[in-house]
Amino acid sequence: MTDDLPEVRASDAERERIAERLRDALAEGRLDMAEFEERLDAAYTARTRGELEPLVRDLPAPTASTTPTPAGGRDWPSRIGAPATSRGGFAFWGGFGRRGRWTVGRQFTGVAVMGGGEVDLREADFEDREIVIRCFALMGGIQVTVPPELHVEVTGFGLMGGFDDRGAGEGTPGSPRVRVTGFALMGGVGVERKRRKGDKSRKSLEK
């Protein structure tokens, strides 16, 4: 029965778990940038579990973190300055997603053409203190999700579409400064502030 496992179709969640292990390996210096980009591309295009397994076979198994991230993402110094693991995403009649633990580059460009994109910064690290996220949506949509403690500016515009700036606002002391810009043509770009699930649970216990 185990011989059949490699032919089992991989899920989006399984691809994302492999991608997160690759990002960790890059941050730890186990992979160089060329190896990381090659394996990451292979992870997102893998069709079966058998194609995913070799990508992390020579990497240590993930372990649970013993040091929790402070509530509200206030540990900013430890989250700024890591090498970028992604500088862009492209979707054409499909979608792209950047979520979980990853490091956003100084300039990240997201393009969605008749498709959708997701850029989630709630658990992300930042290559620099100043970050620019450029979003271009053509008959498609891009959603940018940020934690409430992040400083965010929104300067994009929409033509026969919308560029939502409701997620703009000041951050806590020491937070990176993120500027979301670009345009939406017959499409939409949304920027929203939203807590992580873990932060919500922690706040409920404190009440």
Side-chain angles (χ1 to χ4, degrees):
M1 183 175 295
T2 56
D3 292 339
D4 296 333
L5 287 178
E7 298 305 319
V8 174
R9 288 281 181 168
S11 68
D12 287 341
E14 288 169 329
R15 294 185 188 93
E16 191 59 38
R17 280 196 292 270
I18 295 297
E20 288 188 18
R21 288 183 64 182
L22 293 174
R23 294 179 188 119
D24 289 345
L26 176 67
E28 294 167 357
R30 300 181 190 276
L31 297 176
D32 61 30
M33 184 58 70
E35 290 175 309
F36 167 76
E37 291 179 346
E38 180 180 353
R39 295 192 190 193
L40 188 67
D41 288 343
Y44 280 122
T45 57
R47 294 180 300 170
T48 67
R49 292 176 181 175
E51 294 174 23
L52 288 174
E53 181 185 354
L55 301 176
V56 293
R57 184 176 292 158
D58 59 349
L59 300 177
T63 56
S65 174
T66 57
T67 305
T69 301
R74 291 188 288 271
D75 190 21
W76 292 123
S78 68
R79 298 176 62 182
I80 300 173
T85 58
S86 182
R87 299 184 185 277
F90 178 79
F92 179 70
W93 283 12
F96 73 84
R98 299 293 183 271
R99 64 183 75 87
R101 185 178 176 183
W102 65 294
T103 303
V104 58
R106 294 182 182 88
Q107 182 168 285
F108 179 94
T109 302
V111 179
V113 182
M114 294 181 285
E118 178 187 3
V119 180
D120 191 333
L121 300 180
R122 289 176 294 175
E123 297 181 41
D125 294 331
F126 303 84
E127 185 179 24
D128 205 343
R129 192 170 296 277
E130 301 282 341
I131 300 293
V132 177
I133 296 180
R134 304 190 306 164
C135 297
F136 303 99
L138 175 61
M139 293 186 287
I142 298 177
Q143 180 65 43
V144 181
T145 306
V146 302
E149 298 79 17
L150 188 66
H151 182 93
V152 181
E153 303 172 11
V154 180
T155 60
F157 67 95
L159 178 62
M160 293 186 289
F163 209 110
D164 187 2
D165 64 352
R166 285 179 292 180
E170 294 289 331
T172 56
S175 82
R177 301 178 68 88
V178 175
R179 181 164 63 92
V180 183
T181 187
F183 68 86
L185 176 62
M186 294 185 287
V189 174
V191 183
E192 69 170 341
R193 290 179 177 267
K194 190 175 182 181
R195 291 190 180 277
R196 296 179 302 172
K197 292 181 180 179
D199 292 341
K200 291 179 182 178
S201 301
R202 192 179 296 113
K203 285 180 72 67
S204 297
L205 292 173
E206 292 172 353
K207 291 183 179 180

